[in-house]
Amino acid sequence: MKRKVYLDDLPWEEALENYLTYLERIGALHPGRPESINVEEALGRVTAAPVYARISSPHYHASAMDGMAVKSADTYGASETTPKHLKVGAEAVLVDTGDPLPAGCDAVIMIEDVHYVQPDVIEIIQAAHPWQHVRMVGEDVVATEMILSANQLIRPVDIGAALAGGILKIYVHPKPKVAILPTGTELVQPGTELKPGDIIEYNSRLLGAMVKQWGAVSMRREITVDNFKSLQEVVASAVDEADIVLINAGSSAGSEDFTADVISSLGKVLVHGVATRPGKPVILGEAHGKPVVGVPGYPVSAYLGLDLFVKPLICRKLGVVPAQRSTIEAIISKKMVSPLGVEEFVRVKLGQVGERVIATPISRGAGVLMSLVRADGMIRLPRLSEGYKAGEKVPVELFRTPEEIRETSVIIGSHDIALDVLANYLRQKYPAATLSSAHVGSLGGLTALKRGEAHCAGTHLLDEETGTYNVPYIERLLPGREVVLVNLAHREQGLIVAAGNPKGIQGLADLTRPDITYVNRQRGAGTRILLDYLLRKAGIEPDLIQGYELEEYTHMSVAAAVKSGSVDAGLGIRAAAQALELDFIAIEEERYDLCIPAEFWETPHIQRMLVVMAEPSFQEEVRNLGGYDLRDCGRVMWRSKTIQG
């Protein structure tokens, strides 16, 4: 079969503008017929016509205070030296807040300013001016006044104002119906017992939640197998029922990617392929006068495709402008390279360290949904740029508020599962606080501290000459820097192998066997340094180990590689092996510490963490992970000489 190619490689802004212009021209983006709904049910809907008040609010002159209603002219001349006396019931009428103003009265004197000289006579020492403490007719809303304009997103206060103006029903634009069509022979529904090759179909739920968030109705269809005729029938049916149709997967150029051909058979493909990363193979088309979008199958690509191209369609159908995310300037913690000609969207973790906001890139893979879950924001790498240098200041689109960013404790360095537990307990005890941990290895963490990019660094660096952990490295990498070294845990390092240890691996010497494949940690990781130390100690050449150059960035990634069968062994912590029900061959206990610059020691970012680390429930949960000893958890193991006294 002849391989298909992309029709376009347009900048996404140009592709979107061309698409919207075409759809506007054929009338595909006009809102549907307005519908009348109860005002009380209108939250989040969009007005289809202006709303005018039927009555004034208040519709009578009302007392704004508890007190005495009076005729202001009767109070003129009152002062401390010439008080006035008014007869209760005749010249002064007792009223409560909200009561109608009695006939002949045009002012209210607060009850606090009233002095009874007799049971039926009051004394005042200050004159009341006309309409004092009175809510006049129409003070809030005047009959026939416009309360809401057309194309206004209805808020709680708008509901109150409409009801105050005597409006019970309101015309709103109908919610656009968005049909979501998951496709792929390999897809199975959530909850299905999985076999190799199966992929859980969760994209349609993700996309459905997104369109609901934007004010549309999600119409999720059942999975369609990779077959041209079947997909054509499903799309044709969906176009008849929905306002917008999303076909998820099959938008690329593979032998079973039928989306572009199906759209062409029913209508027209306007764009196939945009210059973004991820999300390149998006398809923008039309069938029977309605938008049909081919959404890439990888979840991050799908998310980005909807955000860039489908959100504007829904907003046009609703008559509103897409909301823009807030932005903040941040310092890039490490170099980011991107190919020319492609605009790349990079997910980042954020945290304010001192006066600077630090952005640390996380996984850039189109299939890594957790990169969106963990992300605090998004950086756009311009298509006419090759990326950013470490230390550059760049704008970041925020997924969280600036307040949340300021309350984030930033840990950069070695990966440890206990940090996830720490983050959870931190959020439970201090709801405003979060913990951001970036896994760049122990050396990378200390380097980040040197650049002022973290509140602390996770480190477990064994010094071969002294046999001690972390201190020699800190003294070399952070000379003269005032730091405190606090223990998080002692943990077991060893070989993670398949359940049952089918290849009978006993120790490091077995890694040189021709039938054994290995996965390593990245350069600069404490586990990698430990391995190299142990290999030298045992006289084993790294070149003899198949997979020594294959790198992963976390203990869980190493365990996952073993679990999948792609490798036979990897050095990591017992907790990672236990989490995935793998066997573990203990080799060494090591010390995992948090290196904390002295300037952050008294800040909430650190003190909150220390409080949580002392919690018995936190320590118990970490122990239950397997391979942890918390005998020194939270203990200061070392201070730099400049602050030891």
Side-chain angles (χ1 to χ4, degrees):
M1 182 175 180
K2 185 178 179 181
R3 183 174 175 83
K4 297 185 288 293
V5 295
Y6 296 117
L7 303 179
D8 307 287
D9 195 17
L10 295 175
W12 71 266
E13 302 97 331
E14 183 180 340
L16 176 61
E17 183 60 32
N18 292 346
Y19 193 40
L20 293 176
T21 300
Y22 174 82
L23 294 175
E24 287 281 9
R25 189 168 67 246
I26 65 173
L29 297 182
H30 297 163
R33 183 188 298 273
E35 56 188 43
S36 176
I37 64 172
N38 293 329
V39 168
E40 294 181 40
E41 300 170 354
L43 182 65
R45 301 298 296 272
V46 179
T47 55
V51 177
Y52 297 96
R54 291 180 57 250
I55 61 174
S56 296
S57 177
H59 62 276
Y60 60 90
H61 296 322
S63 173
M65 297 284 177
D66 296 338
M68 289 290 182
V70 298
K71 184 177 181 179
S72 59
D74 293 342
T75 70
Y76 292 165
S79 69
E80 290 186 9
T81 57
T82 58
K84 282 236 174 183
H85 289 183
L86 301 175
K87 185 77 172 176
V88 175
E91 298 171 299
V93 180
L94 187 65
V95 291
D96 292 329
T97 302
D99 285 349
L101 208 62
C105 296
D106 65 352
V108 173
I109 300 172
M110 289 192 300
I111 197 67
E112 296 92 328
D113 296 333
V114 170
H115 173 59
Y116 279 87
V117 292
Q118 295 179 21
D120 60 347
V121 176
I122 63 170
E123 180 182 81
I124 59 172
I125 58 174
Q126 185 175 357
H129 59 78
W131 308 113
Q132 170 183 291
H133 302 319
V134 174
R135 296 193 67 212
M136 300 176 67
V137 170
E139 177 188 85
D140 191 3
V141 178
V142 178
T144 74
E145 178 184 359
M146 182 189 292
I147 299 174
L148 302 172
S149 65
N151 293 341
Q152 181 165 329
L153 186 68
I154 299 173
R155 305 163 298 171
V157 292
D158 301 326
I159 292 174
L163 292 172
I167 305 299
L168 300 180
K169 294 277 190 177
I170 194 169
Y171 280 102
V172 296
H173 292 309
K175 293 184 176 184
K177 297 177 182 177
V178 181
I180 302 174
L181 283 51
T183 71
T185 307
E186 71 283 4
L187 298 181
V188 297
Q189 295 292 359
T192 302
E193 188 172 342
L194 300 176
K195 62 181 186 298
D198 287 344
I199 297 176
I200 297 173
E201 199 293 286
Y202 58 79
N203 268 1
S204 67
R205 279 80 171 178
L206 165 65
L207 306 185
M210 291 176 72
V211 302
K212 286 179 184 177
Q213 192 175 48
W214 298 328
V217 175
S218 169
M219 301 168 58
R220 183 175 58 84
R221 293 296 193 92
E222 291 300 314
I223 297 167
T224 302
V225 298
D226 291 320
N227 176 278
F228 179 88
K229 189 66 176 176
S230 298
L231 182 57
Q232 185 184 52
E233 291 174 358
V234 171
V235 173
S237 172
V239 167
D240 288 340
E241 296 179 20
D243 300 301
I244 301 169
V245 176
L246 309 181
I247 308 171
N248 185 216
S251 64
S252 192
S255 61
E256 294 187 342
D257 291 329
F258 300 113
T259 300
D261 291 339
V262 166
I263 296 174
S264 294
S265 72
L266 298 172
K268 184 176 183 179
V269 170
L270 290 100
V271 175
H272 185 189
V274 292
T276 64
R277 179 179 174 182
K280 176 181 174 63
V282 72
I283 301 170
L284 307 179
E286 167 266 320
H288 300 176
K290 296 180 180 179
V292 181
V293 178
V295 182
Y298 280 130
V300 181
S301 296
Y303 172 92
L304 188 61
L306 253 68
D307 195 54
L308 293 180
F309 300 108
V310 178
K311 183 179 181 180
L313 303 184
I314 292 173
C315 289
R316 291 287 183 99
K317 293 287 287 183
L318 286 171
V320 296
V321 176
Q324 300 298 311
R325 295 191 185 100
S326 299
T327 61
I328 195 170
E329 280 202 328
I331 303 295
I332 295 293
S333 66
K334 62 181 181 180
K335 183 178 180 180
M336 291 193 297
V337 178
S338 186
L340 278 171
V342 174
E343 182 166 358
E344 186 169 5
F345 295 75
V346 180
R347 289 76 74 197
V348 294
K349 294 290 291 180
L350 296 169
Q352 184 164 332
V353 182
E355 297 300 316
R356 305 187 304 167
V357 175
I358 306 299
T360 301
I362 50 183
S363 176
R364 292 159 80 166
V368 186
L369 181 58
M370 284 302 295
S371 67
L372 287 171
V373 174
R374 296 189 177 106
D376 300 322
M378 186 99 76
I379 291 176
R380 299 187 180 193
L381 300 183
R383 59 180 170 273
L384 299 181
S385 159
E386 293 184 350
Y388 292 120
K389 299 175 183 176
E392 275 196 73
K393 187 177 288 187
V394 299
V396 181
E397 294 180 16
L398 293 179
F399 294 163
R400 296 197 294 143
T401 66
E403 291 73 24
E404 289 178 291
I405 302 304
R406 283 193 288 271
E407 292 297 324
T408 299
S409 300
V410 181
I411 299 179
I412 296 180
S414 172
H415 169 249
D416 191 90
I417 302 172
L419 293 177
D420 297 331
V421 181
L422 180 61
N424 180 55
Y425 275 81
L426 185 69
R427 195 61 181 265
Q428 288 183 28
K429 191 170 183 67
Y430 305 100
T434 57
L435 187 150
S436 168
S437 60
H439 311 137
V440 298
S442 296
L443 287 175
L446 295 179
T447 302
L449 289 187
K450 187 174 184 178
R451 295 196 300 257
E453 295 170 355
H455 295 115
C456 64
T459 176
H460 59 108
L461 293 166
L462 175 65
D463 182 64
E464 294 186 30
E465 293 183 8
T466 64
T468 60
Y469 274 93
N470 300 320
V471 174
Y473 285 90
I474 293 170
E475 291 180 328
R476 287 198 297 269
L477 294 173
L478 302 173
R481 187 75 179 272
E482 296 186 355
V483 300
V484 181
L485 204 58
V486 174
N487 181 251
L488 178 63
H490 297 267
R491 61 186 192 176
E492 284 186 273
Q493 283 268 24
L495 290 175
I496 300 173
V497 299
N501 194 7
K503 293 201 173 179
I505 298 172
Q506 300 300 314
L508 295 177
D510 290 319
L511 300 182
T512 62
R513 285 165 38 189
D515 63 327
I516 301 296
T517 54
Y518 181 78
V519 61
N520 211 345
R521 288 292 304 280
Q522 80 277 18
R523 294 181 185 276
T527 300
R528 173 77 164 256
I529 291 171
L530 174 62
L531 173 70
D532 291 343
Y533 165 69
L534 294 174
L535 292 179
R536 281 192 291 272
K537 190 176 177 181
I540 299 172
E541 290 294 328
D543 291 346
L544 298 177
I545 300 174
Q546 294 186 64
Y548 179 85
E549 299 300 327
L550 178 63
E551 297 180 347
E552 291 288 356
Y553 280 76
T554 69
H555 294 284
M556 289 304 298
S557 296
V558 169
V562 174
K563 181 78 172 181
S564 71
S566 59
V567 297
D568 299 309
L571 191 65
I573 58 176
R574 181 183 289 275
Q578 184 168 305
L580 296 187
E581 300 179 331
L582 299 168
D583 276 18
F584 183 79
I585 302 163
I587 292 178
E588 184 115 343
E589 183 187 72
E590 65 174 8
R591 202 180 88 201
Y592 183 98
D593 296 331
L594 299 177
C595 182
I596 305 165
E599 64 264 31
F600 299 130
W601 180 254
E602 297 293 342
T603 66
H605 299 98
I606 298 302
Q607 290 301 310
R608 288 186 298 225
M609 288 169 46
L610 295 175
V611 170
V612 171
M613 288 163 62
E615 294 276 353
S617 56
F618 162 75
Q619 294 190 14
E620 182 63 23
E621 184 164 338
V622 173
R623 287 191 190 94
N624 291 337
L625 294 173
Y628 286 99
D629 188 318
L630 281 295
R631 62 184 181 269
D632 290 322
C633 183
R635 178 186 167 196
V636 174
M637 309 301 287
W638 178 81
R639 294 175 185 266
S640 54
K641 291 180 180 178
T642 53
I643 60 173
Q644 284 180 351

